[in-house]
Amino acid sequence: MVKLEVCIDSLESAINAIHGGAEELEVCSSLPEGGLTPTVGLVKQIIHMVRNIGTGSSIHHTCSDCICPELTEKPSVNVMIRCRAGSDFCYTPTEVETMLLDLVIMKNMGVNRFVFGALTSEQEVDVVTCAKIIAKANPLPVTFHRAFDVCKDTLVSLEKIVKLGFDRVLTSGQRPSVEDPEAFQIITDMMGFYQDKIHIMPGAGINTENVKKYVKLGCPFIHSSCKVARVPKISKTLNMGMEIAGPERILYTDKNSVIRLRCAIRNELLQIRTK
């Protein structure tokens, strides 16, 4: 079994991911910034929808003529803990305090897993901060996110992550996309050394073609946003404090993209089993 984790940052995307059959949801806000801690309201709505699965009713009041009554498997609700944007992942004591409080609130709401990562100013795993998160999340599992991809030493960093107690690491193979041949080689090396100690989950640039080689490699989890874009019809716009290149776009998870990716995963598994 290879499970698909779909990252989402809106209720619309969560509904589409569930309808598409995603086994796990990584719940964030601000995916264009790499994903930040989601709002309490969004997490509460998603947990409510997941609890409706298997009841024979719609998961949300906006659903109609869909597969809701046929759904039986409840996806895992995995919550990102990241208080601000920035690729340094080096947090101040006050930022850590905020994230620990966010974690406790989300934990009490009934989520299934957390997603976190912290580095030192030297781009090494921040053992102290990560240990605090792991301890506060216990007994819930924690994924180390793509902060791993900017760590200096791949295998040394992975060893620290394993020793801290993370049970999964999300990675693009320390390259911008898993499509990069070097990324595939790095993930292959990671699987060779650590697949019996931690789950390696490839993500960033996953599509219906390249997912096949990661399934064949033995990765038990695949990560994707399955996103598409729409351009809002507006006559006047503001940057709202951000530098925006080109027309403003709204990204959201597409149900059919989730379905196609899951089919590609299952077809590859079937081919492996019949060989």
Side-chain angles (χ1 to χ4, degrees):
M1 182 65 179
V2 177
K3 293 185 177 182
L4 173 62
E5 178 187 74
V6 175
C7 53
I8 59 94
D9 63 357
S10 70
L11 186 61
E12 176 186 10
S13 289
I15 293 170
N16 290 344
I18 292 171
H19 285 172
E23 286 89 4
E24 303 201 2
L25 306 174
E26 183 194 57
V27 187
C28 314
S29 65
S30 303
L31 276 179
E33 294 180 297
L36 303 178
T37 305
T39 67
V40 169
L42 178 60
V43 175
K44 185 174 182 178
Q45 285 177 303
I46 291 172
I47 289 174
H48 179 71
M49 287 196 305
V50 169
R51 288 175 178 168
N52 281 340
I53 293 174
T55 63
S57 60
S58 298
I59 61 172
H60 190 260
H61 66 83
T62 60
C63 297
S64 61
D65 298 323
C66 63
I67 65 167
C68 280
E70 303 169 20
L71 295 173
T72 57
E73 299 297 322
K74 299 178 186 290
S76 174
V77 179
N78 310 335
V79 171
M80 170 72 77
I81 299 295
R82 183 176 174 225
C83 64
R84 63 163 172 81
S87 58
D88 62 313
F89 303 104
C90 183
Y91 300 110
T92 65
T94 52
E95 288 173 332
V96 174
E97 184 178 334
T98 296
M99 290 188 287
L100 287 169
L101 182 55
D102 282 336
L103 186 150
V104 170
I105 292 170
M106 303 292 185
K107 183 179 179 180
N108 290 337
M109 292 172 65
V111 306
N112 301 109
R113 166 183 291 272
F114 290 105
V115 181
F116 179 77
L119 306 179
T120 67
S121 57
E122 289 77 33
Q123 291 183 298
E124 296 176 349
V125 175
D126 184 344
V127 174
V128 174
T129 297
C130 288
K132 290 178 181 178
I133 292 290
I134 290 285
K136 192 67 72 172
N138 186 59
L140 298 183
V142 186
T143 299
F144 196 96
H145 60 46
R146 288 188 63 211
F148 173 77
D149 288 323
V150 294
C151 287
K152 286 183 177 178
D153 191 304
T154 304
L155 295 182
V156 170
S157 297
L158 192 54
E159 179 68 26
K160 291 180 181 178
I161 290 168
V162 169
K163 288 183 177 178
L164 278 162
F166 290 91
D167 73 336
R168 190 186 302 181
V169 59
L170 170 62
T171 179
S172 60
Q174 299 207 315
R175 297 296 183 271
S177 169
V178 295
E179 186 72 27
D180 191 317
E182 292 183 1
F184 180 71
Q185 185 56 56
I186 288 172
I187 293 174
T188 299
D189 292 341
M190 292 169 64
M191 289 289 290
F193 284 104
Y194 285 97
Q195 66 176 328
D196 61 335
K197 298 179 181 178
I198 190 169
H199 292 139
I200 312 297
M201 179 168 62
I206 286 285
N207 57 49
T208 55
E209 287 303 313
N210 62 31
V211 75
K212 299 174 185 177
K213 62 183 180 180
Y214 288 103
V215 172
K216 190 176 296 183
L217 185 60
C219 297
F221 298 92
I222 301 294
H223 176 92
S224 176
S225 63
C226 297
K227 62 180 177 291
V228 295
R230 62 170 172 257
V231 179
K233 295 180 180 179
I234 49 178
S235 59
K236 186 176 181 180
T237 184
L238 296 172
N239 283 355
M240 299 297 288
M242 297 184 295
E243 295 295 330
I244 299 176
E248 183 178 341
R249 299 186 305 160
I250 297 174
L251 301 176
Y252 64 97
T253 295
D254 175 59
K255 179 186 74 173
N256 291 325
S257 296
V258 177
I259 291 172
R260 287 192 292 269
L261 188 53
R262 287 185 72 244
C263 285
I265 291 170
R266 291 187 174 186
N267 288 341
E268 185 61 30
L269 284 172
L270 183 60
Q271 289 189 33
I272 292 171
R273 290 167 184 161
T274 54
K275 284 182 180 179

